[in-house]
mmCIF file of all heavy atoms in Angstrom:
data_model
loop_
_atom_site.group_PDB
_atom_site.id
_atom_site.type_symbol
_atom_site.label_atom_id
_atom_site.label_comp_id
_atom_site.label_asym_id
_atom_site.label_seq_id
_atom_site.Cartn_x
_atom_site.Cartn_y
_atom_site.Cartn_z
ATOM 1 N N SER L 647 10.222 7.610 37.249
ATOM 2 C CA SER L 647 10.742 6.633 38.214
ATOM 3 C C SER L 647 11.234 5.367 37.529
ATOM 4 O O SER L 647 11.832 4.519 38.168
ATOM 5 C CB SER L 647 9.654 6.293 39.222
ATOM 6 O OG SER L 647 8.580 5.671 38.542
ATOM 7 N N TRP L 648 10.941 5.240 36.249
ATOM 8 C CA TRP L 648 11.377 4.056 35.500
ATOM 9 C C TRP L 648 12.655 4.319 34.715
ATOM 10 O O TRP L 648 13.091 3.467 33.931
ATOM 11 C CB TRP L 648 10.257 3.553 34.598
ATOM 12 C CG TRP L 648 9.076 3.124 35.412
ATOM 13 C CD1 TRP L 648 7.994 3.872 35.742
ATOM 14 C CD2 TRP L 648 8.915 1.869 36.068
ATOM 15 N NE1 TRP L 648 7.153 3.160 36.564
ATOM 16 C CE2 TRP L 648 7.683 1.923 36.777
ATOM 17 C CE3 TRP L 648 9.678 0.699 36.137
ATOM 18 C CZ2 TRP L 648 7.216 0.856 37.537
ATOM 19 C CZ3 TRP L 648 9.200 -0.368 36.883
ATOM 20 C CH2 TRP L 648 7.980 -0.284 37.583
ATOM 21 N N GLY L 649 13.209 5.499 34.861
ATOM 22 C CA GLY L 649 14.500 5.796 34.214
ATOM 23 C C GLY L 649 14.384 6.090 32.736
ATOM 24 O O GLY L 649 15.368 6.051 32.010
ATOM 25 N N ILE L 650 13.153 6.381 32.274
ATOM 26 C CA ILE L 650 12.973 6.568 30.822
ATOM 27 C C ILE L 650 12.993 8.052 30.464
ATOM 28 O O ILE L 650 13.860 8.501 29.727
ATOM 29 C CB ILE L 650 11.651 5.916 30.373
ATOM 30 C CG1 ILE L 650 11.707 4.408 30.653
ATOM 31 C CG2 ILE L 650 11.411 6.173 28.894
ATOM 32 C CD1 ILE L 650 10.372 3.708 30.541
ATOM 33 N N ALA L 651 12.031 8.815 31.032
ATOM 34 C CA ALA L 651 11.954 10.235 30.695
ATOM 35 C C ALA L 651 12.579 11.057 31.812
ATOM 36 O O ALA L 651 11.907 11.833 32.491
ATOM 37 C CB ALA L 651 10.502 10.641 30.449
ATOM 38 N N THR L 652 13.849 10.881 32.000
ATOM 39 C CA THR L 652 14.529 11.588 33.077
ATOM 40 C C THR L 652 16.001 11.693 32.727
ATOM 41 O O THR L 652 16.494 10.944 31.888
ATOM 42 C CB THR L 652 14.377 10.832 34.412
ATOM 43 O OG1 THR L 652 15.119 11.530 35.417
ATOM 44 C CG2 THR L 652 14.910 9.416 34.324
ATOM 45 N N GLN L 653 16.675 12.641 33.364
ATOM 46 C CA GLN L 653 18.123 12.729 33.182
ATOM 47 C C GLN L 653 18.847 12.541 34.511
ATOM 48 O O GLN L 653 20.048 12.706 34.597
ATOM 49 C CB GLN L 653 18.507 14.092 32.568
ATOM 50 C CG GLN L 653 17.885 14.334 31.204
ATOM 51 C CD GLN L 653 18.177 13.225 30.214
ATOM 52 O OE1 GLN L 653 19.252 12.616 30.231
ATOM 53 N NE2 GLN L 653 17.222 12.927 29.356
ATOM 54 N N GLN L 654 18.112 12.224 35.561
ATOM 55 C CA GLN L 654 18.748 12.069 36.865
ATOM 56 C C GLN L 654 19.468 10.726 36.916
ATOM 57 O O GLN L 654 18.844 9.676 36.753
ATOM 58 C CB GLN L 654 17.698 12.137 37.959
ATOM 59 C CG GLN L 654 16.854 13.386 37.821
ATOM 60 C CD GLN L 654 16.688 14.115 39.128
ATOM 61 O OE1 GLN L 654 17.363 13.799 40.109
ATOM 62 N NE2 GLN L 654 15.827 15.108 39.137
ATOM 63 N N GLU L 655 20.744 10.849 37.169
ATOM 64 C CA GLU L 655 21.624 9.671 37.143
ATOM 65 C C GLU L 655 21.015 8.461 37.872
ATOM 66 O O GLU L 655 20.947 7.359 37.338
ATOM 67 C CB GLU L 655 22.955 10.082 37.815
ATOM 68 C CG GLU L 655 24.118 9.197 37.486
ATOM 69 C CD GLU L 655 24.505 9.264 36.002
ATOM 70 O OE1 GLU L 655 24.260 10.319 35.339
ATOM 71 O OE2 GLU L 655 25.011 8.263 35.508
ATOM 72 N N TYR L 656 20.540 8.700 39.120
ATOM 73 C CA TYR L 656 20.089 7.547 39.920
ATOM 74 C C TYR L 656 18.831 6.909 39.340
ATOM 75 O O TYR L 656 18.585 5.724 39.532
ATOM 76 C CB TYR L 656 19.881 7.957 41.396
ATOM 77 C CG TYR L 656 18.535 8.602 41.717
ATOM 78 C CD1 TYR L 656 17.545 7.892 42.376
ATOM 79 C CD2 TYR L 656 18.274 9.925 41.361
ATOM 80 C CE1 TYR L 656 16.311 8.468 42.670
ATOM 81 C CE2 TYR L 656 17.051 10.511 41.660
ATOM 82 C CZ TYR L 656 16.071 9.788 42.308
ATOM 83 O OH TYR L 656 14.866 10.361 42.583
ATOM 84 N N LEU L 657 18.058 7.698 38.604
ATOM 85 C CA LEU L 657 16.856 7.132 37.980
ATOM 86 C C LEU L 657 17.201 6.445 36.663
ATOM 87 O O LEU L 657 16.703 5.362 36.355
ATOM 88 C CB LEU L 657 15.823 8.238 37.747
ATOM 89 C CG LEU L 657 15.240 8.899 39.007
ATOM 90 C CD1 LEU L 657 14.370 10.104 38.632
ATOM 91 C CD2 LEU L 657 14.435 7.907 39.831
ATOM 92 N N VAL L 658 18.090 7.095 35.893
ATOM 93 C CA VAL L 658 18.482 6.529 34.596
ATOM 94 C C VAL L 658 19.041 5.121 34.791
ATOM 95 O O VAL L 658 18.759 4.211 34.010
ATOM 96 C CB VAL L 658 19.518 7.438 33.897
ATOM 97 C CG1 VAL L 658 20.026 6.784 32.613
ATOM 98 C CG2 VAL L 658 18.911 8.806 33.589
ATOM 99 N N LYS L 659 19.806 4.965 35.873
ATOM 100 C CA LYS L 659 20.421 3.659 36.140
ATOM 101 C C LYS L 659 19.395 2.528 36.284
ATOM 102 O O LYS L 659 19.707 1.361 36.121
ATOM 103 C CB LYS L 659 21.235 3.736 37.449
ATOM 104 C CG LYS L 659 22.653 4.203 37.244
ATOM 105 C CD LYS L 659 23.552 3.812 38.404
ATOM 106 C CE LYS L 659 22.933 4.156 39.743
ATOM 107 N NZ LYS L 659 23.859 4.680 40.746
ATOM 108 N N ARG L 660 18.167 2.910 36.619
ATOM 109 C CA ARG L 660 17.137 1.880 36.820
ATOM 110 C C ARG L 660 16.776 1.172 35.512
ATOM 111 O O ARG L 660 16.181 0.102 35.522
ATOM 112 C CB ARG L 660 15.860 2.517 37.379
ATOM 113 C CG ARG L 660 16.036 3.041 38.773
ATOM 114 C CD ARG L 660 14.749 3.692 39.226
ATOM 115 N NE ARG L 660 14.888 4.206 40.579
ATOM 116 C CZ ARG L 660 13.919 4.808 41.246
ATOM 117 N NH1 ARG L 660 12.746 4.989 40.679
ATOM 118 N NH2 ARG L 660 14.129 5.243 42.469
ATOM 119 N N LEU L 661 17.061 1.825 34.422
ATOM 120 C CA LEU L 661 16.675 1.220 33.135
ATOM 121 C C LEU L 661 17.838 0.372 32.633
ATOM 122 O O LEU L 661 18.880 0.888 32.246
ATOM 123 C CB LEU L 661 16.323 2.303 32.115
ATOM 124 C CG LEU L 661 15.746 1.761 30.810
ATOM 125 C CD1 LEU L 661 14.343 1.203 31.026
ATOM 126 C CD2 LEU L 661 15.707 2.847 29.744
ATOM 127 N N ASP L 662 17.651 -0.930 32.627
ATOM 128 C CA ASP L 662 18.675 -1.852 32.156
ATOM 129 C C ASP L 662 18.622 -1.889 30.623
ATOM 130 O O ASP L 662 17.617 -2.317 30.046
ATOM 131 C CB ASP L 662 18.396 -3.241 32.746
ATOM 132 C CG ASP L 662 19.464 -4.253 32.350
ATOM 133 O OD1 ASP L 662 19.892 -4.227 31.173
ATOM 134 O OD2 ASP L 662 19.855 -5.057 33.217
ATOM 135 N N VAL L 663 19.681 -1.426 29.989
ATOM 136 C CA VAL L 663 19.668 -1.282 28.528
ATOM 137 C C VAL L 663 19.402 -2.618 27.839
ATOM 138 O O VAL L 663 18.604 -2.695 26.905
ATOM 139 C CB VAL L 663 20.995 -0.674 28.025
ATOM 140 C CG1 VAL L 663 21.050 -0.660 26.497
ATOM 141 C CG2 VAL L 663 21.161 0.738 28.562
ATOM 142 N N ASP L 664 20.060 -3.668 28.306
ATOM 143 C CA ASP L 664 19.888 -4.964 27.631
ATOM 144 C C ASP L 664 18.454 -5.462 27.705
ATOM 145 O O ASP L 664 17.883 -5.930 26.722
ATOM 146 C CB ASP L 664 20.801 -6.026 28.262
ATOM 147 C CG ASP L 664 22.255 -5.759 27.917
ATOM 148 O OD1 ASP L 664 22.488 -4.962 26.979
ATOM 149 O OD2 ASP L 664 23.130 -6.323 28.592
ATOM 150 N N VAL L 665 17.882 -5.337 28.900
ATOM 151 C CA VAL L 665 16.503 -5.807 29.070
ATOM 152 C C VAL L 665 15.576 -4.968 28.192
ATOM 153 O O VAL L 665 14.735 -5.492 27.453
ATOM 154 C CB VAL L 665 16.078 -5.705 30.552
ATOM 155 C CG1 VAL L 665 14.589 -6.009 30.699
ATOM 156 C CG2 VAL L 665 16.916 -6.650 31.408
ATOM 157 N N ALA L 666 15.759 -3.650 28.257
ATOM 158 C CA ALA L 666 14.885 -2.749 27.496
ATOM 159 C C ALA L 666 15.009 -3.026 26.003
ATOM 160 O O ALA L 666 14.009 -3.110 25.282
ATOM 161 C CB ALA L 666 15.220 -1.296 27.802
ATOM 162 N N ARG L 667 16.258 -3.180 25.545
ATOM 163 C CA ARG L 667 16.467 -3.462 24.116
ATOM 164 C C ARG L 667 15.719 -4.729 23.709
ATOM 165 O O ARG L 667 15.012 -4.754 22.707
ATOM 166 C CB ARG L 667 17.963 -3.630 23.840
ATOM 167 C CG ARG L 667 18.240 -3.973 22.398
ATOM 168 C CD ARG L 667 19.623 -4.537 22.200
ATOM 169 N NE ARG L 667 19.787 -5.761 22.972
ATOM 170 C CZ ARG L 667 20.952 -6.168 23.478
ATOM 171 N NH1 ARG L 667 22.035 -5.457 23.300
ATOM 172 N NH2 ARG L 667 21.023 -7.283 24.160
ATOM 173 N N ASN L 668 15.885 -5.790 24.494
ATOM 174 C CA ASN L 668 15.243 -7.051 24.129
ATOM 175 C C ASN L 668 13.729 -6.949 24.129
ATOM 176 O O ASN L 668 13.050 -7.577 23.313
ATOM 177 C CB ASN L 668 15.686 -8.172 25.076
ATOM 178 C CG ASN L 668 17.134 -8.524 24.816
ATOM 179 O OD1 ASN L 668 17.650 -8.250 23.731
ATOM 180 N ND2 ASN L 668 17.784 -9.103 25.802
ATOM 181 N N ARG L 669 13.216 -6.152 25.039
ATOM 182 C CA ARG L 669 11.755 -6.024 25.072
ATOM 183 C C ARG L 669 11.252 -5.282 23.832
ATOM 184 O O ARG L 669 10.203 -5.619 23.294
ATOM 185 C CB ARG L 669 11.315 -5.308 26.355
ATOM 186 C CG ARG L 669 11.590 -6.133 27.614
ATOM 187 C CD ARG L 669 11.022 -5.480 28.845
ATOM 188 N NE ARG L 669 9.572 -5.455 28.781
ATOM 189 C CZ ARG L 669 8.794 -6.458 29.195
ATOM 190 N NH1 ARG L 669 9.325 -7.535 29.716
ATOM 191 N NH2 ARG L 669 7.487 -6.367 29.092
ATOM 192 N N ILE L 670 12.003 -4.297 23.371
ATOM 193 C CA ILE L 670 11.592 -3.590 22.141
ATOM 194 C C ILE L 670 11.680 -4.554 20.958
ATOM 195 O O ILE L 670 10.780 -4.622 20.117
ATOM 196 C CB ILE L 670 12.487 -2.357 21.885
ATOM 197 C CG1 ILE L 670 12.359 -1.377 23.044
ATOM 198 C CG2 ILE L 670 12.101 -1.684 20.569
ATOM 199 C CD1 ILE L 670 13.387 -0.255 23.011
ATOM 200 N N ILE L 671 12.761 -5.327 20.912
ATOM 201 C CA ILE L 671 12.909 -6.296 19.819
ATOM 202 C C ILE L 671 11.732 -7.272 19.833
ATOM 203 O O ILE L 671 11.108 -7.535 18.805
ATOM 204 C CB ILE L 671 14.256 -7.041 19.935
ATOM 205 C CG1 ILE L 671 15.408 -6.078 19.655
ATOM 206 C CG2 ILE L 671 14.308 -8.231 18.974
ATOM 207 C CD1 ILE L 671 16.791 -6.634 19.937
ATOM 208 N N ASN L 672 11.420 -7.772 21.016
ATOM 209 C CA ASN L 672 10.293 -8.717 21.114
ATOM 210 C C ASN L 672 8.993 -8.079 20.647
ATOM 211 O O ASN L 672 8.210 -8.682 19.918
ATOM 212 C CB ASN L 672 10.087 -9.163 22.571
ATOM 213 C CG ASN L 672 11.175 -10.109 23.008
ATOM 214 O OD1 ASN L 672 11.870 -10.696 22.168
ATOM 215 N ND2 ASN L 672 11.348 -10.263 24.307
ATOM 216 N N LEU L 673 8.779 -6.846 21.099
ATOM 217 C CA LEU L 673 7.526 -6.172 20.757
ATOM 218 C C LEU L 673 7.369 -6.073 19.237
ATOM 219 O O LEU L 673 6.351 -6.478 18.672
ATOM 220 C CB LEU L 673 7.495 -4.768 21.376
ATOM 221 C CG LEU L 673 6.248 -3.960 21.007
ATOM 222 C CD1 LEU L 673 5.032 -4.461 21.775
ATOM 223 C CD2 LEU L 673 6.445 -2.472 21.263
ATOM 224 N N PHE L 674 8.387 -5.529 18.583
ATOM 225 C CA PHE L 674 8.243 -5.316 17.133
ATOM 226 C C PHE L 674 8.264 -6.626 16.374
ATOM 227 O O PHE L 674 7.621 -6.769 15.326
ATOM 228 C CB PHE L 674 9.319 -4.354 16.621
ATOM 229 C CG PHE L 674 9.024 -2.931 17.002
ATOM 230 C CD1 PHE L 674 10.045 -2.021 17.198
ATOM 231 C CD2 PHE L 674 7.727 -2.506 17.161
ATOM 232 C CE1 PHE L 674 9.777 -0.700 17.548
ATOM 233 C CE2 PHE L 674 7.435 -1.187 17.512
ATOM 234 C CZ PHE L 674 8.464 -0.291 17.708
ATOM 235 N N HIS L 675 9.011 -7.581 16.900
ATOM 236 C CA HIS L 675 8.992 -8.892 16.262
ATOM 237 C C HIS L 675 7.556 -9.436 16.286
ATOM 238 O O HIS L 675 7.043 -9.926 15.287
ATOM 239 C CB HIS L 675 9.958 -9.826 16.992
ATOM 240 C CG HIS L 675 9.994 -11.184 16.389
ATOM 241 N ND1 HIS L 675 10.648 -11.448 15.208
ATOM 242 C CD2 HIS L 675 9.412 -12.346 16.773
ATOM 243 C CE1 HIS L 675 10.476 -12.716 14.893
ATOM 244 N NE2 HIS L 675 9.736 -13.291 15.832
ATOM 245 N N SER L 676 6.907 -9.298 17.428
ATOM 246 C CA SER L 676 5.549 -9.843 17.518
ATOM 247 C C SER L 676 4.583 -9.037 16.649
ATOM 248 O O SER L 676 3.699 -9.606 16.015
ATOM 249 C CB SER L 676 5.076 -9.893 18.967
ATOM 250 O OG SER L 676 4.909 -8.586 19.451
ATOM 251 N N TRP L 677 4.775 -7.744 16.576
ATOM 252 C CA TRP L 677 3.916 -6.941 15.684
ATOM 253 C C TRP L 677 4.081 -7.394 14.239
ATOM 254 O O TRP L 677 3.113 -7.516 13.496
ATOM 255 C CB TRP L 677 4.276 -5.447 15.764
ATOM 256 C CG TRP L 677 3.781 -4.760 16.988
ATOM 257 C CD1 TRP L 677 3.397 -5.339 18.161
ATOM 258 C CD2 TRP L 677 3.630 -3.344 17.164
ATOM 259 N NE1 TRP L 677 3.012 -4.375 19.061
ATOM 260 C CE2 TRP L 677 3.159 -3.148 18.478
ATOM 261 C CE3 TRP L 677 3.860 -2.242 16.352
ATOM 262 C CZ2 TRP L 677 2.896 -1.868 18.992
ATOM 263 C CZ3 TRP L 677 3.607 -0.975 16.859
ATOM 264 C CH2 TRP L 677 3.128 -0.798 18.167
ATOM 265 N N ASN L 678 5.335 -7.602 13.884
ATOM 266 C CA ASN L 678 5.578 -7.981 12.491
ATOM 267 C C ASN L 678 4.984 -9.357 12.196
ATOM 268 O O ASN L 678 4.470 -9.598 11.106
ATOM 269 C CB ASN L 678 7.082 -7.967 12.207
ATOM 270 C CG ASN L 678 7.377 -7.718 10.751
ATOM 271 O OD1 ASN L 678 6.828 -6.793 10.153
ATOM 272 N ND2 ASN L 678 8.205 -8.551 10.158
#
Side-chain angles (χ1 to χ4, degrees):
Chain L
S647 64
W648 297 94
I650 298 167
T652 177
Q653 299 306 326
Q654 307 227 11
E655 200 65 27
Y656 83 104
L657 295 172
V658 175
K659 272 200 312 220
R660 293 178 180 181
L661 187 70
D662 183 319
V663 174
D664 289 344
V665 172
R667 178 197 60 210
N668 290 338
R669 293 186 66 87
I670 299 169
I671 292 171
N672 287 341
L673 177 75
F674 285 151
H675 180 75
S676 68
W677 284 20
N678 206 48

